[in-house]
Amino acid sequence: MTRALLSLNAGSSSIKFALFVVDGGGEPLHVAGGKIEGIGTAPHLAAKDDNGEHVVERRWPDGEGLTHEDLLGELIGWLGNHLDGRELLAVGHRVVHGGTEFVGPVRVDDGVLARLDALCPLAPLHQPHNLAAIRAMTDLLPQVPQIACFDTAFHHAMPPLATRLALPRALHDEGIRRYGFHGLSYDYVSRRLRQIDPALADGRVIAAHLGNGASMCAMAGGASVDTTMGFTALDGLVMGTRSGSLDPGAVLHLIERKGMSAAETEAMLYQQSGLLGVSGISSDMRVLRQSGRPEAEEAIALFAWRAVREAGGLMSSLGGLDGLVFTAGIGENDADMRARICAGLAWAGVALDQAANEANAPIISSAASAVKVFVIPTDEERMIAMQALSTLGIGTEGTA
Ligand code: ADP
């Protein structure tokens, strides 16, 4: 009998979901996926099947009072009709922070939930929404296991030096240290690379997850040894609306000399900076591409320049570079951005095949390139499903 598994990625105003069926072999097959958006204003639930056909579309124009739990209830209602009698094995949840304790996916019970609650101060903008979804699903489906899959876990074995901020050591012991994020995406990319090119997967590879959130991960033999995000998902690259790394003195200046409150500073660094802040136009790369204004070009150029600079640092952590992988919205689709970043790394032997790059081909390096360059579409929802299955003892090792 086939069984099913639901992946959830719950944020403040949206919930992404994907439904997989699991046959005897344990390989999850994607059957439908979608989003609930506009939570708190005018919610909209939409899902498509693998042929791109809408399988559900609902709007609540006056639904500002509908909570995450109400809307997950609607999702469960739809799911009930869509399961065709299949048993729902589990719900897998993306949870941004596992701290130092959770180094792999875990089945959630009251004790685990309390320990995950204690990590909310480390990711206040994301963790509470992730946990609210787990609570809501536990209430709605008390018999179904809820499994937390962490964005930090892929980086748990980074060398100790890579986890340390140069702050007084008592703070490190309190958890103020580098964790790294986008781990579900990197886990997926790492497994895919092992299927596509096992020899390269054993080497020194940088994966660049370039989406609204953006980071890079240095992988040796498929495991993270360094990454650009640190204590929070604010560190590292220029992002859609986040600043990435900046001089902490600038933050102090904003608070002490310009009189900005901590809340105003946080909102500026997370929501008004990055591509949006530099361009003054948009956080969306496609919009900047269409703009033609010099501020848009400057934002695009800064995004690329900072990516090259961070890649240089990660190469030092790896002691060289054998492979480079682009993934997520910009990494998978923006040929010009890949070309700029690769041009900035020409000194390291990176050379593109222009036609392959323009075509978003799976391998975009030229035959002469010392570094193999790949475009690998990420699939965090599938990774959640795979991790959830392995937690239930249904193996999907090595598949992606
Ligand atoms: P999220 O972090 O929200 O999952 P995505 O991975 O979907 O983000 O990436 C969103 C980014 O990808 C946006 O800046 C968007 O403009 C960009 N993007 C998507 N498609 C293209 C494209 N064809 N060309 C350039 N940028 C694109």
Side-chain angles (χ1 to χ4, degrees):
M1 189 185 87
T2 58
R3 297 164 293 176
L5 199 135
L6 180 68
S7 291
L8 282 188
N9 179 356
S12 58
S13 65
S14 73
I15 301 171
K16 284 189 200 164
F17 56 89
L19 180 65
F20 296 85
V21 297
V22 184
D23 60 22
E27 169 75 1
L29 296 171
H30 184 270
V31 287
K35 255 187 189 178
I36 305 171
E37 290 179 291
I39 302 172
T41 51
H44 172 210
L45 161 67
K48 291 180 178 174
D49 65 16
D50 261 12
N51 300 320
E53 302 289 333
H54 275 288
V55 286
V56 59
E57 170 113 49
R58 278 200 66 185
R59 289 176 189 276
W60 295 268
D62 303 315
E64 64 273 358
L66 290 173
T67 62
H68 281 64
E69 177 154 16
D70 296 333
L71 292 160
L72 285 171
E74 296 285 342
L75 180 64
I76 295 301
W78 165 75
L79 195 65
N81 297 330
H82 218 75
L83 281 173
D84 292 335
R86 295 183 190 104
E87 177 197 0
L88 185 61
L89 278 172
V91 182
H93 296 261
R94 178 183 193 171
V95 175
V96 68
H97 222 302
T100 50
E101 178 184 354
F102 296 101
V103 300
V106 63
R107 184 167 174 172
V108 180
D109 58 20
D110 288 346
V112 167
L113 207 45
R115 273 142 50 214
L116 293 176
D117 263 333
L119 296 170
C120 282
L122 296 182
L125 302 182
H126 297 100
Q127 189 92 339
H129 301 293
N130 305 155
L131 302 188
I134 296 180
R135 289 200 163 87
M137 293 308 266
T138 307
D139 289 346
L140 290 163
L141 299 169
Q143 309 306 328
V144 176
Q146 307 293 319
I147 295 170
C149 305
F150 300 99
D151 255 331
T152 46
F154 187 71
H155 306 289
H156 86 273
M158 283 195 305
L161 279 184
T163 70
R164 204 166 260 284
L165 298 168
L167 291 171
R169 52 192 310 115
L171 293 175
H172 180 90
D173 300 340
E174 247 176 58
I176 303 181
R177 42 157 279 170
R178 302 185 74 244
Y179 293 95
F181 298 89
H182 284 142
L184 294 166
S185 177
Y186 292 130
D187 195 357
Y188 182 79
V189 164
S190 168
R191 294 182 196 218
R192 281 290 294 141
L193 189 62
R194 190 157 292 284
Q195 291 176 327
I196 298 167
D197 191 335
L200 187 71
D202 281 335
R204 302 160 297 182
V205 174
I206 293 177
H209 177 111
L210 308 179
N212 283 315
S215 73
M216 287 178 167
C217 178
M219 302 190 296
S224 172
V225 295
D226 194 3
T227 188
T228 57
M229 283 178 171
F231 176 58
T232 66
L234 197 54
D235 203 1
L237 303 179
V238 173
M239 305 182 216
T241 60
R242 288 174 245 164
S243 62
S245 306
L246 77 174
D247 178 351
V251 181
L252 295 174
H253 182 88
L254 295 175
I255 294 171
E256 287 183 355
R257 308 275 174 262
K258 281 189 66 81
M260 285 174 66
S261 70
E264 285 166 343
T265 311
E266 179 176 84
M268 198 192 81
L269 297 178
Y270 276 93
Q271 283 137 26
Q272 296 145 23
S273 298
L275 293 174
L276 173 64
V278 175
S279 68
I281 297 168
S282 175
S283 65
D284 192 302
M285 189 58 89
R286 278 168 297 190
V287 175
L288 297 181
R289 291 281 178 201
Q290 299 297 322
S291 156
R293 298 237 309 261
E295 298 88 343
E297 168 50 31
E298 192 169 21
I300 294 168
L302 183 66
F303 187 99
W305 181 77
R306 289 270 296 271
V308 169
R309 194 163 173 257
E310 291 281 358
L314 296 179
M315 280 178 64
S316 300
S317 295
L318 287 167
L321 190 65
D322 304 310
L324 176 61
V325 181
F326 288 98
T327 193
I330 297 168
E332 291 166 27
N333 298 297
D334 191 326
D336 176 70
M337 181 54 69
R338 291 193 301 259
R340 289 184 192 222
I341 294 171
C342 289
L345 295 171
W347 60 271
V350 176
L352 276 191
D353 175 329
Q354 265 188 29
N357 185 43
E358 292 295 332
N360 297 329
I363 298 181
I364 59 173
S365 45
S366 71
S369 184
V371 176
K372 277 195 186 172
V373 187
F374 292 81
V375 176
I376 299 183
T378 193
D379 193 343
E380 289 157 298
E381 277 74 28
R382 178 176 295 275
M383 196 63 240
I384 292 169
M386 289 162 60
Q387 291 193 0
L389 285 176
S390 70
T391 307
L392 295 173
I394 302 172
T396 57
E397 266 315 298
T399 62

